[in-house]
Amino acid sequence: MIRTVATKPFPDQKPGTSGLRKKVPVFQQPGYLENFIQSIFDSLEGFAGKALVVGGDGRYFNREAIQIVAKIAAANGFGRIVIGKGGIMSTPAVSALIRHLGAFGGIILSASHNPGGPDGDFGVKYNISAGGPAPESITEAIFARTKQIEAYKISDAPDFDIDRLGSVEIENATIEIVDPVTQYLELMKTLFDFAAIRALFASGFTMRFDALHAVTGPYAHAIFENELGAAAGSVVNGTPLPDFGGHHPDPNPTYAKDLYDLMLSAAAPDFGAASDGDGDRNMILGRGIYVTPSDSLAILAANARVAPGYANGLAGVARSMPTSAASDRVTEKLGIRHYETPTGWKFFGNLLDAGLATFCGEESFGTGSNHIREKDGIWAVLLWLSILANRRIPAIDVVRDHWRTYGRNYYTRHDYDEIDLKAAGGLMEALGEAITTLPGKSFGALKVEAADDFEYHDPVDGSIADHQGIRVMFEGGSRIVYRLSGTGTVGATLRLYIERYEPPTGDLEEDTQATLADLIALSRELAGIEARTGRKAPSVIT
Ligand code: VG1
Ligand code: CO
C-alpha cells in the first residue's frame, strides 16, 4: 500500500558540487532522506512507468537508504527500479546502465571521496537520462522543493533482499537486483583491446590497484585480474567496507599513501592506480613517478588513438578551470576543440551530448570520455594500460616523453580543510574585491596580467554559471586559483591551485613544490591565509 506521510522541510538540503552531502546522523533523522528523494521526484516530470537505476558505494547507511529510495520511487510511479547487488554500483556503472537501459534517470548513494561510517558522510546524487549529474537548473528546482515539501509518498512493502539476483514487485514497480559489474565490463570491452592488455600482463608486467576498501573492488577483481590476467593479489583493499576501513577513500598521495610510497620505492611494480569511494576518480603512478591528474588527462588525450574506441581521434577535450593547461597544448597540436568549464562533472554533460568534446578531466583525479556522462576511474586505468601495452615503455618514460614534446605544466593543489566558515567567506570576499586592483602589480619577478572571478557561458544551452573561482594570472602563463569546496561537510575547505609552464627546452625534472615555491608563498600572502584562518600550511597537497 502507498502511504502519504506528512513532513516538514529541512532548511539545509542544497546540493553542492556533486549532490547533497551530510554527516550520516543528519541523513538518519526521520524524514531527511525521504524529503530529499521526494523533492527530486517532485521536480521531475514524465517518469510514470519508466526505469530508475539506483546504486551506492557501500558506505554506512547505504543498505537502509536503498530500501527507502526504492519504496519512494515505487510509490511515485516508477515502473522499474534497477539496483546493484548488495546495493553496490559505482558512479560510472550507474551512468553506463542508465544509458544502456534507456532509463529515466538514476540515484547514486555516495559521498564519493569523503570518509564513511556512523560518524562519516553520506550523500545522494540524481543523474538524468543522458547518464550524467543533473544540471544546475534541476538541482536548484530540487532545493526549492525541499523548502516547500509537506508530504512524501512511500510504499509500506516489507524490505526486499538486495543480496540476491532476481526481481520482486512493489506496488506497480518491478525491483530488479542485478550484477553491478556485467554491463560495465561489456562497455569497457567495446572501447579497449583487452587482448593487447592481456598480452602486456602475460609478458610479466606488474601492477597494484588499490580500491581503498571502496566500490571499485569488485570491478577491479573482475576486470584486471580475471579478464586481463593481472596476477592474483594485484588488487588490494578490494572488498567494499561500510567505513572504508576507517580511511578516506580518496586516491591521492595523502590518503593512498601506502600505494604512493610503494610506487616510489625500489619494490614498485610497473604500474599503480587507485580509485575513490564511488569509483569515478583515479590516481595514476608508474614505477618512480606520480602522475599529476592534469598531466594524465593530457597524456590520455595525446595517446587516445591506441584504444579502438578512440581510433578515429577526439572531437575535443574539456577540462575544469582549475585543471592545468597541459591538455590545452595537446588540443592545440591536434587541432581539436578545447573547453574550460567550472568545477564539477555536470558542466561537461552538454559538451559531450553535443559531440563537442570526447574527453573530459579535472585536476581532482577525474578523467572520462563520452562513453558515459561521469568521470570513470577504471576507464582511465584501462586507457593507461592500453597506452603501455601499445608503446611498451615504462610509464615514467611516457610522461617524460610527453613533457619533452609539449612542455610541462608544473602544478599543485593545496587544500585547507575544515576552516572557519566566516573566515573562508571573508577571504574570498576580499579576493573578489582585489581582482580589480591586482592587474599590473608586480610581486618580485611575478607580474599580474589579469584577475577575475571565473564565469562560464555554456556554449550549448547558453546557461551561465558565475562565481566559479578567483583567478590571478601572471605574465608568462603562471596562475593562482582560489575557490571554496562544494563537497565538504565540516566548516569550509579552501582550495588553492598553482601552476607554472615550462617549455620543452627548459628544466623538466624539478621538484614541483620547490619550483612553485614563489607562487605558493605569494598565493598565501595575497589571500592572507594565515592571518584569516590561523593556518600556516595546507592539510592536503596534491
Ligand atoms: C571536488 C572536486 C571536483 C569534483 C567533485 C566531485 O569538488 O574539486 O573537481 O568534481 O569534488 O568529485 P569541490 O567542490 O569539493 O572542490 V567526487 O569523486 O567527490 O563525486
Ligand atoms: Co567520486
Side-chain angles (χ1 to χ4, degrees):
M1 217 178 66
I2 296 172
R3 290 195 299 135
T4 300
V5 182
T7 188
K8 285 208 174 66
F10 292 88
D12 63 345
Q13 298 196 314
K14 186 176 169 55
T17 311
S18 180
L20 180 69
R21 292 189 193 176
K22 299 285 172 196
K23 290 279 170 210
V24 166
V26 174
F27 264 108
Q28 286 171 322
Q29 299 172 82
Y32 195 90
L33 175 65
E34 292 85 346
N35 277 16
F36 191 69
I37 301 296
Q38 183 66 55
S39 296
I40 295 175
F41 298 152
D42 286 350
S43 310
L44 304 170
E45 267 171 22
F47 55 76
K50 302 239 168 89
L52 181 76
V53 178
V54 184
D57 63 9
R59 69 178 60 226
Y60 190 86
F61 194 54
N62 192 44
R63 297 175 67 88
E64 295 86 335
I66 294 254
Q67 300 282 345
I68 293 169
V69 170
K71 287 175 195 177
I72 296 179
N76 277 270
F78 276 95
R80 185 178 178 197
I81 300 157
V82 184
I83 299 172
K85 185 169 176 255
I88 295 280
M89 196 181 289
S90 74
T91 288
V94 170
S95 185
L97 195 54
I98 292 172
R99 295 168 67 80
H100 177 72
L101 297 175
F104 186 85
I107 286 183
I108 301 171
L109 302 170
S110 170
S112 189
H113 58 286
N114 299 16
D119 304 314
D121 290 351
F122 193 76
V124 178
K125 199 163 74 139
Y126 178 69
N127 281 31
I128 58 175
S129 61
E136 289 203 314
S137 53
I138 295 183
T139 55
E140 276 160 20
I142 295 169
F143 180 46
R145 182 65 196 149
T146 63
K147 293 188 280 190
Q148 308 286 329
I149 189 168
E150 289 173 347
Y152 61 84
K153 283 192 273 184
I154 189 163
S155 165
D156 66 358
D159 281 358
F160 49 90
D161 185 354
I162 59 173
D163 297 310
R164 221 182 49 219
L165 299 178
S167 61
V168 15
E169 306 289 322
I170 287 188
E171 308 306 336
N172 289 320
T174 306
I175 310 250
E176 286 172 51
I177 308 295
V178 301
D179 181 274
V181 180
T182 311
Q183 189 264 328
Y184 179 81
L185 170 59
E186 288 311 311
L187 178 60
M188 292 302 114
K189 285 182 180 169
T190 67
L191 300 173
F192 300 108
D193 183 348
F194 271 45
I197 304 174
R198 247 195 315 270
L200 176 72
F201 282 114
S203 74
F205 182 88
T206 53
M207 129 169 188
R208 173 169 293 189
F209 180 89
D210 194 335
L212 299 175
H213 297 295
V215 81
T216 47
Y219 297 84
H221 279 299
I223 296 174
F224 303 129
E225 293 184 359
N226 298 349
E227 289 282 337
L228 297 172
S234 298
V235 175
V236 299
N237 301 322
T239 305
L241 298 176
D243 68 347
F244 308 117
H247 304 292
H248 285 245
D250 196 356
N252 64 36
T254 301
Y255 296 123
K257 193 171 183 317
D258 291 353
L259 177 69
Y260 182 86
D261 288 347
L262 172 73
M263 294 307 298
L264 297 185
S265 78
D270 294 308
F271 184 68
S275 190
D276 71 330
D278 61 331
D280 54 1
R281 294 186 178 207
N282 71 90
M283 174 168 74
I284 299 293
L285 303 115
R287 180 184 293 130
I289 190 166
Y290 155 68
V291 187
T292 300
S294 299
D295 276 352
S296 179
L297 172 66
I299 291 166
L300 294 181
N303 293 275
R305 282 175 185 266
V306 303
Y310 310 102
N312 295 328
L314 310 177
V317 179
R319 62 165 174 88
S320 69
M321 180 273 283
T323 303
S324 96
S327 63
D328 301 5
R329 304 193 180 274
V330 176
T331 52
E332 194 185 342
K333 183 157 183 203
L334 294 175
I336 58 175
R337 296 185 175 91
H338 91 91
Y339 297 91
E340 191 175 19
T341 59
T343 294
W345 210 262
K346 60 186 168 218
F347 294 103
F348 293 133
N350 280 345
L351 299 173
L352 293 165
D353 287 349
L356 297 173
T358 311
F359 280 12
C360 302
E362 295 191 279
E363 51 64 42
S364 54
F365 300 85
T367 359
S369 93
N370 61 353
H371 67 293
I372 53 171
R373 294 294 180 271
E374 289 277 7
K375 53 191 188 261
D376 189 342
I378 300 265
W379 171 89
V381 176
L382 286 170
L383 186 46
W384 262 96
L385 289 172
S386 305
I387 295 167
L388 297 171
N390 178 273
R391 295 184 58 179
R392 296 289 174 132
I393 56 173
I396 192 168
D397 292 339
V398 172
V399 177
R400 285 181 169 151
D401 182 47
H402 188 89
W403 292 337
R404 278 195 294 268
T405 307
Y406 297 93
R408 178 173 179 188
N409 288 73
Y410 283 103
Y411 183 87
T412 189
R413 178 174 116 182
H414 288 197
D415 292 335
Y416 293 79
D417 289 338
E418 300 186 16
I419 58 177
D420 180 67
L421 270 173
K422 269 214 181 108
L427 183 151
M428 289 304 289
E429 207 174 300
L431 280 172
E433 283 161 17
I435 54 178
T436 52
T437 56
L438 279 173
K441 280 194 182 157
S442 289
F443 302 88
L446 295 162
K447 183 163 184 202
V448 180
E449 194 172 63
D452 67 3
D453 190 345
F454 182 62
E455 184 173 290
Y456 178 63
H457 295 243
D458 186 305
V460 180
D461 67 13
S463 60
I464 294 176
D466 55 10
H467 298 298
Q468 296 297 320
I470 302 285
R471 302 192 287 184
V472 184
M473 289 150 301
F474 299 89
E475 283 181 355
S478 294
R479 189 176 75 146
I480 302 172
V481 175
Y482 302 86
R483 58 178 287 280
L484 295 181
S485 156
T487 58
T489 59
V490 186
T493 292
L494 172 67
R495 303 203 196 284
L496 260 76
Y497 311 82
I498 296 147
E499 174 177 4
R500 179 176 78 74
Y501 177 65
E502 183 77 30
T505 47
D507 192 343
L508 303 171
E509 298 287 340
E510 304 233 28
D511 174 75
T512 298
Q513 301 301 317
T515 195
L516 295 176
D518 286 359
L519 277 164
I520 292 171
L522 180 58
S523 73
R524 296 179 185 179
E525 185 190 318
L526 283 182
I529 293 182
E530 191 180 346
R532 288 179 177 275
T533 70
R535 299 291 177 84
K536 279 191 170 32
S539 343
V540 176
I541 294 179
T542 54

